[in-house]
Amino acid sequence: MGNRIPNPTIMFVYLIGLVAVLSAILSWANVKVTDTVMTPVPTEQLQHLNDAFGGTLVPFDTSTGQAVSLPDYTVSEQTFAVHNLLSADGIQVFFSSFVDNFAAFSVVAVVLVAMAGVGVAEHAGLMAALIRKIVNIAPRWSLAFILIFVGVLSSVASDAGYLILIPLSAAAFLSVGRHPLAGMAAAFAGVGAIFGVNLLITPSDSMMTEITNEALGNIGAAPLSVTANFYFSIVASIVLTLVAVLVTTRIVEPRLGKYEMSDPLATNSDEEFDAAAEARGLKFALWSFVAVAAVILAISLPPGAPLRDTETGQLIGATPFMASLIFIISLAFLVCGIFYGMGAKTLRGGDEVVGAIAKTFGSLGGLLIMFLMISQFIALFNWTNLPTVAAVEAAQLLEQASIPPVLLLIAFILVIFILDIILPGLVPKWAIFAPIFLPIFASLDVAPQTLLAAYRVGDSPMNVLTPLMVYLPFIVTIAQRYKKDAGIGTVIALMIPYAMWILVAWTALFTAWFLLGIPWGPGAPVSM
């Protein structure tokens, strides 16, 4: 049924039309909601302005006349009315923001930067060589676990898992005679459906903790540390990886059956290769990787290093190092691909390197057209305020439900799960929900770290099903390498079992954890 949906680019054109009509109807009906929201304070811009005036501007509290420091967020009550996209203002926004919407769609830049390095490594033959090594080292039964678990860990590198691990996993499954779409689906589950937890502290953890603490300050509660859900994240990462492995081996692979390699693109892995040249190329790639790693460590680890936060000196969190991970990974693939090509004699000169990047970018043409329309849809959809109205209405219904805390938490998980269809994105949704639900659950003696853990459970599983997932067109492109008639329906049909079983298992783990009263992290009990 999903594959009967029009081409994704055309589908988003239709969706823009649907949003326009719906926004007009609801605007004429004067639909609006009132909500407490947190707004980021533009501290950098204010600092630049202050510097321009010679540092003479000092913020102060008008009620006390005392100088104050600027907060990161301000909390206020705001009314959101549905904006009519068919009005004069809406038409003006559509035409005047079209270029800016695409220019501001950062996914395009991320894809191009990441795929530049990967494209060179793939053209040189490094990717195929690495796959053969993985297959030789890892027992066949453990391949799915390794790939899914690496996908879970990849959330520390933001989008790298989508762009690098998913195509690698499809090729790895194919190389051992397993269905490549199963490998693709398994990695997608690890990267997307289990995104909210990790064995490490991720940039998303820092951002959500900061938003939580701003909301807690509004009700006079003690702030959380970034490790408030750390124990739960570690256990969930391992448990959900095992669940995804079982779904892959017991449901997805049997459903797909034996793969018939009818597509020439899918049979390239069986081409003959020079083992001696490959070994030499891998040796060159290894030493080049060591050199890149040494440079990165030199500019990251020492105190005061360029990639550390200039104010706190931190390496992990919202730091230059974490912001550089996509480029670092792409750079590593680029350098290793070049040196592999030199050793294996598959790349000869800079012209071939540039040609490999150009060829990779050329293959992304259809994807970029899809991104053009997706960027317009997301920007216009947000401008209408429809996502905010839907989220606040659902939140108010949940707030009014008179049920025990554990059932209310489960209901909260389900609401977040459903709303992720129209509001994908871990951090933006939390900025909407934190000021609403933290006071509600605090009145029920439910600690803020408990609500944050519940939010993680509800947010991630739907990531692999929502058509608003910005990397869905890229994943469809990967599927089409191995199944020419694959479409959005192919991918969603593959991912439904993962989303459902991960949601059930994760909710059960959360419920048991809550009822047993196990701390979510260091100094983070279940109750207030």
Side-chain angles (χ1 to χ4, degrees), residues 49 94 119 145 151 160 189 254 260 324 330 372 383 414 456 474 516 526:
L49 181 63
F94 177 80
F145 179 85
E260 300 295 335
S324 305
S330 183
L372 174 63
W383 182 84
L414 295 177
R456 294 176 189 273
F474 176 74
L516 291 173
V526 168

Side-chain angles (χ1 to χ4, degrees), residues 481-498:
R481 294 182 184 179
Y482 305 98
K483 190 174 186 294
K484 288 183 177 180
D485 61 347
I488 288 179
T490 305
V491 175
I492 292 179
L494 281 172
M495 302 313 300
I496 285 174
Y498 289 104

